């Protein structure tokens, strides 16, 4: 049986390098690991407790939560917007944090990686993502990191799956996440 990793991409932009990095994760997944990119983040409304009640939860949010139920782990791809994660990724974390104490992240490994134009590859955004996911109850894999700088130039003509560093390091990240699913969740 394969380990199912749900990929959430924090950029909705057509041609996003983080989206391409997620596509590379699908293509480079090692044997026994399946990566699914969640396609509906743009449709999930901003989190609001008034609509997060039985009978009122929007269909897009229900679909989003159902995708989490089918997954064993999560891999979040975060670009860096003004020094932190984008709103779409924070909104995803907010939806998965509920119900409090038993949301979608609880008991499942979560890693945050990404690429950005700057010289550090978006590490601030990835750190903020890890912090938010940890507060939301996820088992954050603090040692699983991949920050790729210079995305605009580096991936201007080369898809990340064809980049030697990505091809070497991304399967290692995926294997680390898959191996963490076999570990008991930390309280």
């Amino acid at each position: 049986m394969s380990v199912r990793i749900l990929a959430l991409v924090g950029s909705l932009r057509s041609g996003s390098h983080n989206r391409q990095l997620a596509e590379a994760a699908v293509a480079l997944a090692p044997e026994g690991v399946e990566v699914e990119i969640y396609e509906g983040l743009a449709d999930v409304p901003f989190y609001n407790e008034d609509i997060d009640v039985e009978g009122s939860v929007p269909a897009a949010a229900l679909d989003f939560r159902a995708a989490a139920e089918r997954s064993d782990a999560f891999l979040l791809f975060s670009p860096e917007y003004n020094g932190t994660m984008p709103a779409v990724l924070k909104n995803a974390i907010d939806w998965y944090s509920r119900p409090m104490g038993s949301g979608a992240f609880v008991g499942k490994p979560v890693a945050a990686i990404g690429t950005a134009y700057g010289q550090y590859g978006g590490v601030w955004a990835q750190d903020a993502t890890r912090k938010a996911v940890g507060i939301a109850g996820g088992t954050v894999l603090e040692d699983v990191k991949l920050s790729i700088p210079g995305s605009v130039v580096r991936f201007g003509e080369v898809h990340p799956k064809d980049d030697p560093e990505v091809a070497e390091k991304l399967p290692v990240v995926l294997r680390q996440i898959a191996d963490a699913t076999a570990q008991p969740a930390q309280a």
Side-chain angles (χ1 to χ4, degrees):
M1 187 159 107
S2 290
V3 171
R4 294 166 311 231
I5 299 173
L6 185 61
L8 305 179
V9 180
S11 174
L12 302 177
R13 182 179 65 84
S14 171
S16 157
H17 296 120
N18 279 282
R19 168 62 188 221
Q20 291 176 4
L21 191 59
E23 292 167 355
V26 171
L28 298 170
E31 187 172 332
V33 177
E34 295 175 31
V35 178
E36 173 193 349
I37 301 170
Y38 188 76
E39 300 293 351
L41 278 185
D43 301 324
V44 178
F46 278 108
Y47 184 79
N48 177 344
E49 283 185 275
D50 291 342
I51 62 172
D52 191 12
V53 293
E54 192 171 334
S56 295
V57 179
L62 290 173
D63 291 345
F64 183 51
R65 285 181 170 160
E69 290 295 319
R70 295 188 303 269
S71 72
D72 300 307
F74 301 91
L75 180 55
L76 283 56
F77 293 83
S78 185
E80 192 165 272
Y81 292 2
N82 299 314
T84 193
M85 75 180 100
V88 69
L89 194 53
K90 177 62 169 73
N91 188 52
I93 293 168
D94 290 345
W95 274 103
Y96 277 176
S97 72
R98 303 294 183 179
M100 182 74 111
S102 61
F105 288 128
V106 173
K108 294 183 180 182
V110 186
I113 66 171
T115 185
Y117 179 67
Q119 67 180 337
Y120 301 111
V123 294
W124 289 350
Q126 294 156 37
D127 287 344
T129 301
R130 286 183 199 94
K131 177 182 176 184
V133 167
I135 292 169
T139 303
V140 178
L141 304 177
E142 293 288 349
D143 294 335
V144 178
K145 296 181 179 178
L146 180 59
S147 301
I148 302 169
S151 62
V152 172
V153 174
R154 186 169 184 167
F155 302 130
E157 295 182 20
V158 174
H159 192 285
K161 72 177 172 21
D162 299 319
D163 179 275
E165 181 183 9
V166 172
E168 175 189 342
K169 293 182 177 179
L170 193 51
V172 172
V173 164
L174 296 169
R175 177 55 53 206
Q176 289 173 304
I177 296 167
D179 289 350
T181 64
Q183 304 298 320
Q186 297 175 0

